[in-house]
Amino acid sequence: MIICDSFSIVWQTPTARLLPCLLDGRRTGPVFLTDRRARVALPPADVDPGSGRARLSYRRAAELFEQGPAGAAERAH
C-alpha cells in the first residue's frame, strides 16, 4: 500500500514507488505543471490537456527541489 499524504523524495527505488500516486488516473500530459496556463503555443506533450497548464521547466523544477519537499510537493499534480 502506498500512502501519498506525506513523503520524502529519495532517488532510489522508493522514488519509483511514488509514481502511482502522482499518476493516479492520468493518461496524458506532464506530471509536474506550472501554476498557470501556457501563454505561448507549446507542443501538445508539454501541456496538460485538462487544465491547459504547461510542463514545469527543468530550471524551475530544480529551484523547487532545492526548497525541499514543500517546494516540490506544491507542483506535483
Side-chain angles (χ1 to χ4, degrees):
M1 172 186 234
I2 298 173
I3 299 173
C4 298
D5 294 338
S6 175
F7 59 87
S8 296
I9 294 177
V10 179
W11 301 115
Q12 296 174 355
T13 301
T15 305
R17 292 186 180 131
L18 291 174
L19 286 176
C21 296
L22 295 172
L23 301 175
D24 186 35
R26 295 185 62 91
R27 298 233 182 260
T28 62
V31 175
F32 296 97
L33 305 171
T34 61
D35 55 358
R36 60 182 160 221
R37 295 179 59 85
R39 291 184 277 167
V40 296
L42 296 171
D46 287 345
V47 178
D48 176 56
S51 68
R53 295 177 355 190
R55 176 186 54 82
L56 194 63
S57 71
Y58 291 112
R59 178 193 57 79
R60 183 66 180 135
E63 290 171 359
L64 292 170
F65 280 108
E66 286 176 11
Q67 293 175 11
E74 79 181 53
R75 294 295 191 267
H77 299 281

